[in-house]
Structure formats: C-alpha cells, structure tokens
Amino acid sequence: MTTKSTRSQRRRTVVALAVVLAVLAGFIVRLVDIQVVSAREHIADSLATALGSSRPLYGTRGSIVDEQGQTLAGSILLYDAQLDPSNVRDITREKSDGTKEEVTWTQMAGEIGEITGQTAEEVQQVVDDAVAVDPDSQYAPLKRGLTTEQYRALAALGIPFLYFDEHPARTYPDGAVAGNLVGYMGIDGQALGGLEQREDDCLTSTNGSMSYEKGKDGVIIPGTAVEKPAVDGGTLQLTIDRDLQWYLQQLIAEQTQDMGALSGTITVVEAKTGKIRAAADYPTVDPNDVDASDPNDRGSRIFINSFEPGSTFKPLTAATLIDAGGQTPTSTVTASSKESFPNGARVGDAFQHPAYVYTLAGVLIDSSNVGISKFAERVSAQTRYDYLKKFGIGDGSEIDFYGQPTGYLPTPDSWDNQSYYNIAFGQGVSTTIPELVGAYQAIANDGLKIPLSLIESCTKSDGTVVKPEQGASSQVVKPETAVAVQQMMENVALQSTLAPQIAVAGYNVADKTGTGEKTDGNGRYKSGVYFTTMIGFAPAEDPQYVVAVTLDEPTRIKSSGANASAWQKAMTQVLKSYRVMPSTVEPTLLAKFG
C-alpha cells in the first residue's frame, strides 16, 4: 500500500529528474547551437583572439606563353624549412623493415644538412642561436627556397619538429629565350622588367588565407578551419614563336660577335597582321640569373633604341613620289656622285661615278643619295612630311613597352637647306625599329598599315579572354603605289652588289639597306662609326613576312653589308618555319638607267 509520504517522495524525484533533464536539454541545445548552427560565427570570434592562427594561401602568378602556348615564364612552388627549438629531442623512428630505431638530434642534423646543403653543425647552430635569444623559442628558420624534391626528402625523414611553408616562385624554362621581352622578377616577387612589369595586372595573383584554431600540441582543431581561396593570375599569350625566337637569338649573337659590333637585333613581323613573330636581341638577359647580365642588357634594344635610318628611308620617299608626285619606277633624274644644290646644300653618294641618268628604281638599286635628293624636289616638303607621318615615323610604336622612345621627325618649317635633302635619304631624322618595320609592313601589305602587336590576349583565371585594344588600320599609299615599291625593292635584292649574299633559294625577296651615322652627343657625327640596318620582305610578289636586322657599330664590315648574312639566314628560317610556299613567278626586272 502506497502511503502519502511515499507518493510525496516520488513526486519530488520526478520533479528533480525533470529539472535535471530540462537543464541537460538546455545544454544540448546550446551545444548544438555553438557547434553546428552558429559554428562559423564562433570560429570567427575565436580566430580573432589569441587562440586563432592563420597562414596564407598563395595564388599562382600567371604564365607567359608564346603563340603556340609554349611556356616562356611560369611559376613553381618552393619551400621554406624551419625548426621548433622547444621540441628538438631524440626520437624513435620506424625503419623500412618495420623495426624501430633511436635517432639522436646530432644524427638528424646531419641527415637534414645532406639535403639542404648544410653541415650538421650549421643545422644545430640554427637551433642554438634561436634558444640563446629565447629559451622558449618555437621558431628557427632553417633554409629558404627548397625545391619540391628537397621538401619531399626532408618530409620523409619523419622529424616532428621540422616544418615547412610553401610559396610560389618564378621560373623561365628556356632561360634567355625572349628574356629581353619577358622581363624578370625581384627576389621579393615584384615585377621589375619587360612584360612581367608591363602586364602585371594580367599576371598578378591574389593570395587567400587559411584560418584555424590549434590545440596545445600545435595540431589544428577539427572543424575550425576557415578558407579564403586564392585567385590565380591570368595567362599572357604573346604573338612571338618561341622556336623562331631561339634560332634568331643564336643567329644575331653570332653575327654581332663576328662583325665586332656592340649589339644587334632581328625583328620579324607578319605583313598581313602586324604581329611580331620574333624580336631577338644580343646581348640579352636570362631572367633566371639577372645579375649575370649587364644592367644595359636587361631590356629590349628593339624597343628602346632610336637611330638614324639612313637609306632605308629611300623606299618611303619613293612611295611618296609615286603616290603624290606622279612619278613611276622608270622616271629619271641625272645625278653625279657629288652635287651642290641651288640652296647651297651639298650631297654625295658613297661611291664615285659619273653623271648617270638614273631611274627611280636605279636610285634605290645603287642607293644614290644625290639621285633621291633630286627626285625629292618634285614634291613639297609638307607632302614628304605628311607621308612620313602616315608611315608612322616619329609617332612611336603602337606597342606600349617601358622605356620606348619615339623617332624624331622635324616639321617642315624647321628644315634647313641641308635637311631638306638629307631627310629624303634618312639623315637628320631618327626612328625606332618598331616605327621602321611598321612602315615596311605597310609597303609589304599593299599600302595598308596595321598596328604592330606583341600581345595576343590575357586569359583570366575564370576563363575570361581579354584582347588588347588595337588602333585602326590606315591606307598609307594606294595599293598600286605599294606594289611599285615592292618591285623596286625586289630589284634592289636582284641587282645590288649584295644580291648574291641575300638570295634565298626558291623565293623572290625584296630588301633595302641603311647605314646611319651616329652622333657624339654634341651634335656632331662620329667618324667611321655607323648603325647599320637591312630590312625587307618575302616573297616579293606576295609579301608574307618583314625581317629587319640591325647592328650597332660593326667594325669588321662597317657598312650594312655586315647585316647581309644574318638577314639571309633569318629570312630563310622564317619562310621555313611558317611553311611559306616558294615563288612561282619570275621577278619583274627594272632598268637602272633611263
């Protein structure tokens, strides 16, 4: 029989149990809220306190690739190793056969040093120095910039107080190939030259982070990691061909040295697109070892040099005469090797000859300064200036490259009696390689000038493709004018004294040389010192590629004949590389004399 006191006791027990269960339920609800519902919020709060830790997640800098996608600059992971001095001790390690072995700190220091290139004493000294500063030190940097192979070898040692941080680094697989264009990076990861610097907005990455909580033993507490992903840089695709670039760099290095020149360049432009397919410099820079090169050799002379173009201007003057002056390749003038003009100017040719009745074609073939000067009188100075501007002289290149100058083309109101004639054959005016090859691209492309380009695109990490803005094309001269100049330049290649040296088997080629004088910095020309150029295109009847070779102060041959061998080899390789079909038509022979 249940008594009143018994029932009362049971009631109290039930009530107490209910209270306990209610409290427990409250704890459970709160625990679920903390651990599940509001977990991220509480983790974020804890990470903001001393309990939280974080490390960067490095984005990968974008690659620079050639027109075929071959890598010119890429990124790799390097590793920084550090020790925890507070945990340095002898350890028990399992061997490959499953047995255990005791390993002393001295022995481990030796194993580490064999991989990092340090002695056991040097490794131990790292720990000793850290402890001397702080007896409780948990961090002592051991070695920076370890390769993946070194990292794996160290990790395989199973040393619990050896840690690693990874970070990206730049690598250039082909060394100096296109180094003059690609540029280089500083040890702090800052872009310092070339396209690395110019196109940094495309290539640069954005680092992310990994935040987490660690226990006393340094182990990350599960469920506390919060990741902010990194964003990789974009891929910069150039218009150049890596293999052609490599060949032409070897070629211009050989020619520069053979001719005893200070430097040399070879530039290749696709005539119908304006795309630069190669831009070779010597001397140049290996971005993997920048300090091994002279600071003056770390840029691209193609984009930072300006020079007097010499006789390479004569085809531009001839194009003006035909397009605006009613002249033809068979129009004539009488010209001696040296003449004085009514305004007092004096002009001379590079060789002695009697008074010839030169055709316009003959003036280009013999490269007569006197002849082109007399022809130049048949159009106004303003007309000549306007056409040179339309060809792009003095306006700079469409390619935005650090340090790039513009040529110097004085306005007609500042032409004196001498420069009135000299400008017709490329003296008293300066240009740059991009300006000059851009002008010849227009001649080769039937008078249509297309802005030069070096960059094909930037492909962002999300797949977005960004094309660079291109300027508008312009018709500089009539197509028939350009064709007439093409034929005259073809006859230069056929009838000039350098014809045997520049012939390309199976192809009709067109070219022109220029021997530009150099100033001493005080407005006077240096004696016997020249900047030589050879520029032309092929096939002459349907030009596909423009090739320009320059040498700065060649000494073995001081005229532009120094460039002939390199030009012939360069053009041969270009036609082969792009599988241009051989010529199937006979060249049109033009008379030198009237």
Side-chain angles (χ1 to χ4, degrees):
M1 183 176 182
T2 302
T3 65
K4 185 176 180 179
S5 61
T6 302
R7 289 195 300 271
S8 177
Q9 184 177 358
R10 286 180 177 175
R11 258 191 238 103
R12 287 195 296 272
T13 302
V14 170
V15 171
L17 181 60
V19 170
V20 171
L21 291 174
V23 172
L24 182 59
F27 277 116
I28 292 172
V29 170
R30 183 57 177 159
L31 184 61
V32 170
D33 176 63
I34 293 172
Q35 295 290 343
V36 180
V37 178
S38 304
R40 290 294 174 188
E41 178 184 341
H42 294 298
I43 290 172
D45 289 341
S46 66
L47 292 176
T49 70
L51 297 175
S53 298
S54 67
R55 63 181 177 86
L57 297 177
Y58 293 102
T60 302
R61 185 173 177 82
S63 298
I64 300 177
V65 301
D66 79 341
E67 63 163 331
Q68 300 296 331
Q70 300 295 319
T71 301
L72 298 169
S75 293
I76 58 173
L77 281 178
L78 294 180
Y79 298 83
D80 298 338
Q82 55 265 337
L83 295 160
D84 178 356
S86 66
N87 279 319
V88 171
R89 64 187 185 279
D90 298 344
I91 64 171
T92 301
R93 185 168 58 190
E94 184 175 329
K95 299 168 63 176
S96 58
D97 60 3
T99 60
K100 306 285 187 180
E101 66 171 344
E102 296 295 323
V103 186
T104 66
W105 163 229
T106 301
Q107 182 180 343
M108 284 183 281
E111 293 173 341
I112 291 171
E114 286 182 7
I115 299 169
T116 62
Q118 299 164 288
T119 65
E121 291 75 19
E122 289 173 333
V123 174
Q124 290 175 302
Q125 192 63 48
V126 168
V127 172
D128 293 342
D129 290 345
V131 172
V133 175
D134 178 7
D136 299 320
S137 173
Q138 295 181 327
Y139 174 78
L142 175 65
K143 192 80 170 182
R144 288 178 52 85
L146 298 171
T147 65
T148 300
E149 291 74 17
Q150 289 174 306
Y151 158 71
R152 289 174 177 170
L154 288 169
L157 297 177
I159 299 174
F161 45 84
L162 179 62
Y163 302 94
F164 306 92
D165 283 332
E166 65 180 31
H167 60 86
R170 208 63 167 153
T171 183
Y172 303 88
D174 294 315
V177 175
N180 57 325
L181 302 175
V182 169
Y184 48 92
M185 305 287 289
I187 58 174
D188 57 355
Q190 181 181 1
L192 295 179
L195 294 172
E196 289 277 28
Q197 184 177 18
R198 177 66 188 84
E199 299 298 322
D200 193 49
D201 287 346
C202 169
L203 298 166
T204 194
S205 60
T206 303
N207 291 337
S209 63
M210 174 71 78
S211 302
Y212 47 85
E213 290 184 69
K214 292 195 301 184
K216 285 186 176 181
D217 55 1
V219 176
I220 297 175
I221 298 174
T224 65
V226 177
E227 179 179 337
K228 179 183 177 183
V231 179
D232 292 339
T235 297
L236 185 70
Q237 185 172 29
L238 308 185
T239 60
I240 69 166
D241 178 275
R242 181 193 65 173
D243 294 339
L244 180 62
Q245 178 78 17
W246 175 85
Y247 175 85
L248 295 182
Q249 284 188 211
Q250 309 308 307
L251 177 59
I252 194 58
E254 178 183 338
Q255 193 77 4
T256 301
Q257 293 172 56
D258 286 351
M259 292 297 144
L262 299 177
S263 63
T265 74
I266 301 178
T267 310
V268 179
V269 171
E270 197 167 68
K272 299 186 187 306
T273 66
K275 293 180 179 180
I276 296 176
R277 295 307 187 189
D281 279 275
Y282 178 82
T284 189
V285 60
D286 180 349
N288 291 314
D289 188 12
V290 176
D291 290 339
S293 61
D294 187 282
N296 293 324
D297 299 332
R298 295 174 188 174
S300 173
R301 288 179 174 84
I302 290 171
F303 292 101
I304 61 178
N305 272 1
S306 61
F307 55 95
E308 286 202 356
S311 294
T312 57
F313 250 35
K314 288 172 182 169
L316 307 186
T317 302
T320 303
L321 290 161
I322 294 172
D323 209 60
Q327 304 299 293
T328 70
T330 57
S331 297
T332 60
V333 294
T334 300
S336 301
S337 56
K338 285 184 173 57
E339 291 198 20
S340 296
F341 288 85
N343 69 358
R346 301 180 66 185
V347 177
D349 288 344
F351 62 100
Q352 292 291 325
H353 64 83
Y356 288 147
V357 179
Y358 268 125
T359 63
L360 182 56
V363 166
L364 264 62
I365 292 167
D366 277 359
S367 201
S368 170
N369 295 338
V370 176
I372 200 67
S373 295
K374 286 196 164 186
F375 269 115
E377 294 177 322
R378 297 179 182 180
V379 291
S380 70
Q382 186 64 50
T383 298
R384 290 164 53 196
Y385 173 84
D386 291 343
Y387 270 84
L388 288 173
K389 293 297 285 185
K390 288 199 291 182
F391 274 116
I393 304 302
D395 285 343
S397 165
E398 300 85 357
I399 298 170
D400 189 3
F401 206 88
Y402 283 121
Q404 183 177 188
T406 60
Y408 170 67
L409 179 61
T411 55
D413 59 357
S414 65
W415 293 7
D416 60 22
N417 291 344
Q418 191 66 49
S419 61
Y420 175 86
Y421 294 103
N422 286 4
I423 288 174
F425 53 87
Q427 282 192 355
V429 61
S430 70
T431 189
T432 65
I433 293 172
E435 286 181 359
L436 190 62
V437 295
Y440 273 74
Q441 177 276 325
I443 292 174
N445 195 36
D446 293 346
L448 181 62
K449 188 176 190 303
I450 300 174
L452 300 184
S453 59
L454 181 61
I455 297 171
E456 194 71 59
S457 65
C458 173
T459 303
K460 300 291 188 178
S461 58
D462 62 1
T464 302
V465 178
V466 180
K467 294 275 189 178
E469 293 184 8
Q470 289 291 101
S473 300
S474 60
Q475 192 74 38
V476 178
V477 295
K478 294 184 286 291
E480 54 269 30
T481 298
V483 170
V485 178
Q486 292 168 15
Q487 291 176 345
M488 288 192 291
M489 289 181 60
E490 181 180 24
N491 276 264
V492 172
L494 286 169
Q495 300 187 53
S496 72
T497 56
L498 295 175
Q501 299 177 51
I502 63 174
V504 177
Y507 295 90
N508 299 326
V509 301
D511 95 315
K512 188 68 188 77
T513 59
T515 304
E517 295 189 82
K518 295 186 65 176
T519 64
D520 60 6
N522 296 312
R524 294 186 296 272
Y525 285 118
K526 295 180 180 180
S527 176
V529 175
Y530 304 100
F531 188 94
T532 62
T533 307
M534 180 173 283
I535 184 169
F537 41 81
E541 68 279 5
D542 183 21
Q544 299 296 312
Y545 292 94
V546 177
V547 174
V549 177
T550 72
L551 291 173
D552 189 4
E553 298 189 20
T555 54
R556 183 170 166 228
I557 300 174
K558 293 188 176 183
S559 70
S560 49
N563 306 43
S565 174
W567 190 90
Q568 191 275 342
K569 292 175 183 176
M571 181 60 82
T572 300
Q573 186 64 32
V574 168
L575 297 172
K576 182 192 303 182
S577 295
Y578 287 102
R579 297 178 173 83
V580 178
M581 295 298 292
S583 297
T584 57
V585 299
E586 291 296 319
T588 301
L589 290 176
L590 300 173
K592 280 175 57 174
F593 306 115

